[in-house]
Amino acid sequence: MRLTCCQAALAAAITLNLLVLFYVSWLQHQPRNSRARSPRRGAAAGPRVTVLVREFEAFDNAVPELVDSFLQQDATQPVVVAADTLPYPPLALPRVPNVRLALLQPALDRPAAASRPETYVTTEFVALVPDGARAEAPGQLERMVEVLRAGGARLVAAPVASANPARCLALNVSLREWTARYSPAPSAPRCDALDGDAVVLLRSRDLFNLSAPLARPLSTGLFLQTALRGWAVQLLDLPFGAARQPPLATAHARWKAEREGRARRAALLRSLGIRLVSGEGGRLEWFGCSKETPRCFGTVVGDTPAYLYEERWTPPCCLRALRETARYVVGVLEAAGVRYWLEGGSLLGAARHGDIIPWDYDVDLGIYLEDVGNCEQLRGAEAGSVVDERGFVWEKAVEGDFFRVQYSESNHLHVDLWPFYPRNGVMTKDTWLDHRQDVEFPEHFLQPLVPLSFAGFVAQAPNNYRRFLELKFGPGVIENPEYPNPSLLSLAGSG
């Protein structure tokens, strides 16, 4: 049977319609991402970096200019401005999908994810950009990415051409000693930390694996955490511009920002467990207890303070207070003619370190009971607690028949004074505690007493103090350090 032209045309149309329907159906069953047209070879991919703005003051900032400068280089650039609470006055941010405001303080009416900064960052890399910076050249972030990918440093940074451009520092963080020590970097431009204004780029997963990724001040918190992990930062010669209308232009705004910045820094250091910061020139900043505050730890149970379980030693502020109290008490005793000597762990610290044992929490001195009446403060303590003109508190201990001198009424770091008396050539006392070193000893160890360096001054100690210590603690005690109650926690088993 022969087909007419009309029949042939109709058959072709039907076949074409079926092919179109089949193709549309096939497209609808493909994953959404696979339907997007693949970029041609050589075409630019989407942004790999999120710009994250965290360090700014709500009351005076140049954040809108900062954000606009990056969008002028790439209109699709992801930008996240992070604040604890809604900034006021409100930030004039562009109303585009790739610019977002992240509020980090939890709120009753928002889901938990809304308070997590990682919720807002979907790129592989993140650039931490300080207020007052601006992007002035295309491709700066991409060049930083390439340097980071090349390896050698976990973070890369570019200085901001501001009045305080970034410079390299060495930073040693000792959690055990509660201390951060800054010094000039020996191998700039690769170092542990930066001081000054810089754009810092790192992998997003690295940033959000830190325990406090966006704690302020951002630079302080970031480099304390990265230096502790051994991550280096490489400072590049790739400067970013400074804002054309810089923030904090007035003296009042700078004063307010500095005041709030100091308070934030102190709170951050305390929250991260840093009690002492040693600066480049050796300047010391203390962030722990003082004469006006309670000590850094509570009641000690089983001769093992809580910080030992945290694999830390005595906070440096507490050691400083103990040294000050010991020096003062020894001065009072010597002026009053009270014979005294270093006892127990304090003598052990003097023999081993010339100082207080790094994990000790008090100071022990022995005194002759017959000399107590020579000292006005000790006589007063017999009747009740006495606060002297320097604020030290002299009292009888509630645990037994001995004296205690506390650093202050608020801070109960203390020196214990143990009254001994001779009996048949042996020094004894009336109160004994369940300590292995709490034993009688021959008086000849005190005849004569000898000078020994301790806690920054020279104190009196038993003669032949090695034999004295081995009598109390056992052989080899000076060379073999141990925590005070190894049945609960031993030095070898910690950290």
Side-chain angles (χ1 to χ4, degrees):
M1 181 178 69
R2 297 179 62 187
L3 293 174
T4 66
C5 290
C6 290
Q7 289 173 323
L10 180 60
I14 293 172
T15 302
L16 181 60
N17 283 332
L18 289 172
L19 289 172
V20 170
L21 288 172
F22 174 78
Y23 179 68
V24 171
S25 176
W26 177 81
L27 277 180
Q28 290 175 340
H29 286 82
Q30 297 307 302
R32 189 175 179 182
N33 290 341
S34 68
R35 285 183 254 156
R37 185 177 178 181
S38 300
R40 65 183 181 276
R41 185 181 298 273
R48 295 185 290 174
V49 183
T50 295
V51 169
L52 200 158
V53 185
R54 171 61 169 148
E55 196 61 64
F56 66 94
E57 301 295 344
F59 60 84
D60 189 336
N61 62 76
V63 171
E65 180 186 343
L66 183 161
V67 173
D68 286 340
S69 73
F70 280 93
L71 295 183
Q72 287 172 14
Q73 304 299 327
D74 182 354
T76 66
Q77 173 66 58
V79 178
V80 175
V81 178
D84 293 322
T85 57
L86 189 65
Y88 182 83
L91 295 174
L93 299 176
R95 294 181 179 274
V96 293
N98 49 304
V99 176
R100 306 181 70 186
L101 178 62
L103 304 182
L104 305 182
Q105 184 171 297
L108 291 173
D109 59 345
R110 292 188 289 124
S115 303
R116 299 177 188 140
E118 58 268 33
T119 301
Y120 303 88
V121 177
T122 58
T123 55
E124 182 181 359
F125 302 94
V126 60
L128 304 172
V129 182
D131 188 21
R134 61 176 288 114
E136 294 183 332
Q140 284 177 294
L141 294 179
E142 285 300 318
R143 289 197 290 277
M144 295 176 72
V145 166
E146 296 310 316
V147 174
L148 187 66
R149 282 189 179 279
R154 205 69 174 260
L155 307 89
V156 296
V160 176
S162 67
N164 186 29
R167 60 191 181 90
C168 267
L169 294 175
L171 172 58
N172 177 268
V173 181
S174 172
L175 290 183
R176 175 166 274 182
E177 297 176 354
W178 310 72
T179 301
R181 297 180 177 89
Y182 293 88
S183 59
S187 58
R190 187 168 296 171
C191 50
D192 304 314
L194 300 176
D195 178 40
D197 299 327
V199 175
V200 180
L201 184 137
L202 68 165
R203 287 178 171 82
S204 301
R205 69 170 182 267
D206 284 347
L207 176 65
F208 295 122
N209 275 330
L210 301 177
S211 60
L214 297 183
R216 296 181 65 193
L218 187 60
S219 180
T220 301
L222 176 69
F223 292 120
L224 283 172
Q225 295 173 86
T226 58
L228 182 66
R229 290 161 173 78
W231 298 358
V233 55
Q234 183 174 347
L235 185 60
L236 309 177
D237 186 16
L238 189 68
F240 282 75
R244 292 168 184 166
Q245 294 184 333
L248 309 176
T250 68
H252 177 75
R254 289 192 295 273
W255 169 82
K256 185 175 179 180
E258 289 169 4
R259 182 191 62 180
E260 295 186 3
R262 286 193 299 268
R264 277 193 293 265
R265 181 168 174 264
L268 172 65
L269 291 169
R270 292 187 183 103
S271 71
L272 295 179
I274 300 297
R275 296 291 183 266
L276 175 61
V277 174
S278 174
E280 285 182 88
R283 185 172 69 96
L284 301 181
E285 295 180 273
W286 298 89
F287 297 94
C289 64
S290 69
K291 219 169 175 69
E292 292 73 37
T293 68
R295 67 184 184 183
C296 295
F297 56 94
T299 302
V300 176
V301 178
D303 296 326
T304 306
Y307 52 77
L308 289 184
Y309 291 103
E310 300 171 4
E311 299 183 1
R312 295 188 171 211
W313 289 347
T314 309
C317 47
C318 298
L319 290 173
R320 179 179 66 161
L322 285 172
R323 293 185 187 107
E324 182 182 341
T325 307
R327 178 192 289 269
Y328 176 72
V329 169
V330 163
V332 170
L333 297 179
E334 290 180 345
V338 175
R339 290 167 291 174
Y340 76 92
W341 60 94
L342 293 170
E343 259 291 347
S346 298
L347 178 61
L348 182 56
R352 187 186 293 151
H353 308 283
D355 201 352
I356 299 169
I357 294 175
W359 51 82
D360 210 350
Y361 53 89
D362 64 4
V363 170
D364 291 306
L365 300 177
I367 60 174
Y368 270 87
L369 176 61
E370 63 188 89
D371 293 346
V372 167
N374 298 341
C375 178
E376 177 185 352
Q377 290 88 337
L378 293 179
R379 290 198 309 271
E382 294 270 20
S385 180
V386 174
V387 181
D388 68 17
E389 69 280 0
R390 292 277 300 276
F392 294 92
V393 182
W394 299 70
E395 61 188 10
K396 288 292 289 288
V398 297
E399 298 94 327
D401 191 18
F402 62 99
F403 297 93
R404 177 163 290 163
V405 185
Q406 296 184 155
Y407 187 43
S408 71
E409 291 182 278
S410 300
N411 191 322
H412 294 173
L413 290 162
H414 57 265
V415 173
D416 284 336
L417 304 174
W418 300 91
F420 283 82
Y421 55 90
R423 185 172 58 193
N424 300 324
V426 174
M427 298 300 292
T428 188
K429 57 189 176 77
D430 293 332
T431 294
W432 300 96
L433 302 181
D434 188 21
H435 298 159
R436 57 177 176 165
Q437 72 270 24
D438 202 15
V439 297
E440 297 177 330
F441 58 91
E443 188 179 12
H444 66 72
F445 281 110
L446 307 181
Q447 297 173 340
L449 294 166
V450 298
L452 189 61
S453 294
F454 175 71
F457 64 97
V458 176
Q460 296 296 305
N463 63 73
N464 202 347
Y465 54 79
R466 175 179 287 274
R467 282 191 59 195
F468 183 87
L469 286 168
E470 292 187 344
L471 170 68
K472 293 207 164 198
F473 291 95
V477 65
I478 297 176
E479 294 77 18
N480 298 284
E482 182 53 277
Y483 284 162
N485 191 347
S487 64
L488 289 178
L489 186 67
S490 69
L491 179 60
S494 68

